Amino acid sequence: MVGFIKLPITLKAEINLVLVAVTGLGLVTRLWGIHFPKAVVFDEVYYGQFVSLYMKQVFFIDDSGPPLGHMILALGAYLGGFDGNFQWNRIGAEYSSNVPVWSLRVMPALMGALSVPLGYQLVVELGYSHLTALVASLLLLMENSLIVQARFMLLESVLVFFLLLAVFSYLKFHNASSSSTPGPSSAWAWLILCGVACAGAVGVKYTGLFTYLLLLSIAGVHTWQIIGDRRLPSVGVLGQVTGRALALVLLPVCLYLGIFYAHLTLLYRSGPHDQIMSSAFQASLEVRGRPRPILPNTRTGVGIRVEICLHFLQTGRETQLEAYAAN
């Protein structure tokens, strides 16, 4: 057994120090001092209400978008030990001592920081030089609006992270494989990651659908080129088409539905938006720790009265007709 081991055992690794540097700068600019100000800023008054409902597992529906972004914010609050007890009633309200401000803002800050090296890698995969990629990453690093959005409990930095990850992952897959070679198995891992990122982008905000459709269009063109390549065997073409369809269509759809399944599973207590759901769903929610009672299906007769007034112009007399109906 020892004969199979060759000594000395060595490990070689290549580290892009420029990439490490921009990543570190991204973390510093997004994470340093995010607990200040210790007050509700802008749309934190809106998203904070949903975070509190998640902490209390109270059912709600946000008609402005899917729930994944709220769930990511709630994850940071959960890791910070937030109990959900805070009145999100106005912008500028001071956070109480039970609110972990750093934890509430850490998830958008982390994703905003990781968007900087993603931008660097994306430009490299597009075929440009590392100097050009450095300039692009510095633009992302120093963009004031991106910094501000990432330092508060907002969803824009989360959306940008998933969009950049989706485009970067597809470029990695496309560059690792070609129409003449199926590509290594690691290339398919990048395509799966692209599908996951697309589901994440659409799951945060519906505006992520535009980038998803763009990637689907690009993948459709590349797939059509593979279908028309006569050098590839039919089995290989079928595998390429099937793999792309599973990773970029079926996987994102399943993950998107899974987001709503997790949302409905976590929130099992009666909340402010019960009325828009069906009676059967309302019956599945708890009211003060007890299942909601199901009202018996009863029918009650309703009387309807219709009154019609006829006015005769020549005589000036009025005649009233009345009709009654019962259902």
Side-chain angles (χ1 to χ4, degrees):
M1 183 65 182
V2 181
F4 291 101
I5 302 177
K6 295 182 180 181
L7 298 177
I9 300 176
T10 60
L11 178 64
K12 296 181 179 180
E14 294 183 0
I15 300 176
N16 187 340
L17 295 180
V18 175
L19 183 61
V20 173
V22 296
T23 303
L25 290 175
L27 291 171
V28 171
T29 55
R30 270 64 175 179
L31 287 172
W32 180 76
I34 60 173
H35 60 278
F36 178 83
K38 197 175 181 181
V40 179
V41 178
F42 192 49
D43 273 355
E44 286 186 338
V45 70
Y46 177 73
Y47 297 117
Q49 298 176 21
F50 301 130
V51 171
S52 291
L53 292 176
Y54 269 116
M55 296 300 98
K56 298 178 181 179
Q57 296 184 293
V58 174
F59 174 76
F60 73 91
I61 286 291
D62 180 17
D63 54 2
S64 65
L68 179 60
H70 307 321
M71 296 171 69
I72 293 176
L73 298 179
L75 175 61
Y78 174 78
L79 295 177
F82 182 45
D83 55 6
N85 293 321
F86 183 77
Q87 293 296 326
W88 307 88
N89 50 12
R90 63 181 179 89
I91 298 175
E94 293 288 336
Y95 285 120
S96 55
S97 59
N98 68 306
V99 180
V101 183
W102 192 89
S103 299
L104 290 176
R105 296 171 177 170
V106 68
M107 297 304 293
L110 282 176
M111 292 188 170
L114 293 178
S115 296
V116 177
L118 273 178
Y120 180 95
Q121 292 284 69
L122 192 153
V123 175
V124 171
E125 292 300 323
L126 286 173
Y128 294 96
S129 64
H130 285 271
L131 178 60
T132 305
L134 175 60
V135 173
S137 63
L138 290 178
L139 292 176
L140 291 174
L141 176 68
M142 297 183 294
E143 171 56 42
N144 186 56
S145 61
L146 294 178
I147 295 176
V148 173
Q149 290 172 349
R151 291 176 59 85
F152 297 105
M153 189 172 51
L154 306 174
L155 297 182
E156 282 72 19
S157 61
V158 181
L159 175 63
V160 171
F161 169 78
F162 280 119
L163 294 179
L164 291 176
L165 180 61
V167 177
F168 165 69
S169 300
Y170 184 80
L171 289 175
K172 287 286 291 186
F173 166 76
H174 179 67
N175 294 336
S177 60
S178 63
S179 58
S180 58
T181 58
S185 57
S186 61
W188 291 102
W190 284 113
L191 189 64
I192 294 174
L193 180 60
C194 177
V196 174
C198 288
V202 180
V204 172
K205 283 191 174 183
Y206 287 127
T207 51
L209 184 63
F210 295 103
T211 301
Y212 177 49
L213 294 177
L214 174 63
L215 289 176
L216 280 182
S217 302
I218 297 174
V221 173
H222 293 162
T223 304
W224 184 256
Q225 294 173 352
I226 292 176
I227 294 175
D229 192 347
R230 297 184 178 181
R231 296 172 297 176
L232 293 177
S234 300
V235 177
V237 171
L238 180 61
Q240 290 279 335
V241 174
T242 304
R244 283 167 165 79
L246 292 176
L248 295 180
V249 179
L250 183 61
L251 178 61
V253 171
C254 292
L255 290 177
Y256 180 77
L257 296 177
I259 293 171
F260 280 92
Y261 177 80
H263 174 78
L264 297 175
T265 302
L266 291 173
L267 308 181
Y268 62 88
R269 294 191 174 99
S270 178
H273 299 157
D274 298 358
Q275 295 80 5
I276 64 176
M277 306 301 289
S278 64
S279 300
F281 180 82
Q282 294 181 36
S284 65
L285 300 176
E286 290 186 1
V287 180
R288 298 179 181 178
R290 298 180 181 179
R292 182 193 296 269
I294 302 177
L295 298 178
N297 186 10
T298 60
R299 294 184 179 180
T300 304
V302 178
I304 301 176
R305 178 185 177 186
V306 179
E307 181 176 324
I308 303 175
C309 181
L310 301 179
H311 182 77
F312 296 93
L313 295 177
Q314 295 180 351
T315 61
R317 299 170 56 186
E318 293 184 355
T319 303
Q320 291 184 349
L321 300 177
E322 294 184 0
Y324 296 89
N327 185 13

